[in-house]
Amino acid sequence: MFEKVLIANRGEIALRIHRACKEMGISTVAVHSTADADAMHVRLADESVCIGPPPAKDSYLNIPAILEAAAITGADAIHPGIGFMSENQRFAELVQEHGFTFIGPSPEHIRIMGDKVTAKATVMEQGLPTVPGSTGAVKSLDEAYQIAKKTGYPVLIKAAAGGGGKGMKVAQNEDGLEEAWSLARGEAKAAFGNDEVYMEKYLGNPRHIEIQLLGDHHGNCVHFGERDCSIQRRHQKVVEEAPSPALNAKEREFIGNLAAKTAGAIAYRGVGTMEFLYEDGEFYFIEMNTRLQVEHTITEMITGVDLVREQIRVATGVPLGYTQEDIEFNGHSIQCRINAENPDTFIPSPGKITNYHAPGGLGVRVDSAIYEGYKIPPNYDSLIAKLVVSGKNRNECILRLKRTLGEFVIGGVDTLLPLHSRIIAQPDFINGDYSIHWLEKYLAAEDAKKNAKK
Ligand code: MV4
């Protein structure tokens, strides 16, 4: 087992990883920018190293500084957390070349899944269902017309280097294809320096369902069920739940086993998530994330498994030690992402937290690194707390969520707390009747109502 792990991240996720390490008897090294000198992840870690000024590119993305911090503190391994260096193939390679263990998948798996064309081809070869469209990259507009004729309109042009919706354009019909083609390529080139695109039939009203996976270094792979992450705005998830209210037991078992079989077949190791679109009873693989995810919490609540502990354990090379049948599912869990943002405009709201009271009680978990008097710096992601609630069933979970949202006090900055209270009171949410477009439609309808009153 590792004796010392360097956590190359900040905020609640750095704390989350620190907690898993401490329970495993591993000592921790925090790294931080000058803006985070007073951060909780720095205070709780056994050691800390300042790695640069506030901009992430000079600190949390500063590879030489992170490697140097690991060297001077004598760390055995580096946990990249989420975002920042977590899906950077070069970083994973360098960590290993410098004699540390990268707590994550192989650099090769990061590469394969980072390129969405390669990712899709790889899982298709293993029999995973994907959205009908191009086989591989589309090289010319002529080719795009031919593919669209086969799949039928509307079609979607997607960036191979994409993810998060950048470089993605819909063509409703043949007349719109040329424009979608050049817009998607232009955006992809600007965002990723790579204008390679591929094409899919556009699904109009899907849900976003993802499968939590864990593989070891010996070809064993299990799944921990699905999460429904359809409640999102501009590709930012807002509410996640497990299990999905849309799936029945048969569908759940089908897609979970298929995803685990696929990940096992490619010898995937570490935690990972396969993302699917789900529409009219069918699953379509879209992407795989080769890291821990923000919403891993809800999976932990329904399985009782500490996924970060498992991630660290498999990174040492030991076999999983259990099989799919050993993983049990109980109850329901929902996570609300509490961002320091205006709940109507979504404009970030950094600044000092003047008062703070977190909810508690049975089935309540708050993953956060903030405290009363803490000053949220303007340089990073606006996620400041995750409210994770669980219950025996979905109804109990929603009632508990309502109770805890009412208890939560975060003063001095704007937060999404009021928005969450509104979302969970909507009949569509209560009925589990929502797609990836639900939140944006709901917000637009609310805006229209407000404007009508004026
Ligand atoms: C799609 C789609 C509809 N049809 N692919 C958005 C970013 C990337 N992760 C994939 N995305 C989508 N791919 C086909 N063929 C709709 C989306 C999409 C989406 C997917 C998941 C979660 C939120 C989304 C919001 C808008 C569009």
Side-chain angles (χ1 to χ4, degrees), residues 56-98:
K57 67 169 176 32
D58 302 319
S59 48
Y60 298 103
L61 298 171
N62 182 343
I63 298 178
I66 296 166
L67 294 174
E68 190 66 18
I72 60 174
T73 55
D76 306 306
I78 299 182
H79 195 308
I82 296 174
F84 295 132
M85 307 311 300
S86 62
E87 292 180 288
N88 184 314
Q89 181 200 356
R90 189 70 194 124
F91 180 69
E93 278 167 358
L94 284 167
V95 166
Q96 287 172 352
E97 282 169 23
H98 284 76

Side-chain angles (χ1 to χ4, degrees), residues 26 325 391 404:
I26 299 169
E325 290 67 48
T404 50

Side-chain angles (χ1 to χ4, degrees), residues 116 120 130-132 154-156 158 162-166 168 170 198-209 229-237 275-277 279 284-287 289 435-437 440:
K116 309 304 164 192
K120 190 174 174 180
T130 58
V131 192
V155 292
L156 197 52
K158 292 180 165 184
K166 265 195 203 129
M168 202 176 86
V170 185
Y198 64 111
M199 252 169 88
E200 288 180 351
K201 170 104 187 154
Y202 177 69
L203 304 178
N205 207 31
R207 298 178 81 111
H208 175 168
I209 289 176
C229 306
S230 302
I231 307 275
Q232 60 84 37
R233 177 187 170 272
R234 299 196 181 169
H235 305 288
Q236 297 295 315
K237 294 165 186 165
E275 296 188 354
F276 295 85
L277 296 178
E279 192 176 76
Y284 308 89
F285 169 93
I286 48 170
E287 290 169 25
N289 300 314
S435 79
I436 59 170
H437 302 298
E440 282 166 353

Side-chain angles (χ1 to χ4, degrees), residues 27-144:
S27 78
T28 60
V29 180
V31 293
H32 66 91
S33 69
T34 52
D36 279 340
D38 295 326
M40 191 58 85
H41 81 276
V42 178
R43 292 197 196 186
L44 290 192
D46 296 303
E47 293 169 79
S48 64
V49 181
C50 181
I51 53 167
K57 67 169 176 32
D58 302 319
S59 48
Y60 298 103
L61 298 171
N62 182 343
I63 298 178
I66 296 166
L67 294 174
E68 190 66 18
I72 60 174
T73 55
D76 306 306
I78 299 182
H79 195 308
I82 296 174
F84 295 132
M85 307 311 300
S86 62
E87 292 180 288
N88 184 314
Q89 181 200 356
R90 189 70 194 124
F91 180 69
E93 278 167 358
L94 284 167
V95 166
Q96 287 172 352
E97 282 169 23
H98 284 76
F100 311 108
T101 300
F102 178 74
I103 302 178
S106 70
E108 181 63 4
H109 284 115
I110 298 177
R111 182 188 69 76
I112 290 169
M113 297 305 169
D115 181 313
K116 309 304 164 192
V117 169
T118 321
K120 190 174 174 180
T122 303
V123 303
M124 253 178 105
E125 203 170 299
Q126 301 298 330
L128 211 54
T130 58
V131 192
S134 60
T135 358
V138 184
K139 299 290 185 200
S140 69
L141 182 58
D142 262 2
E143 197 186 335

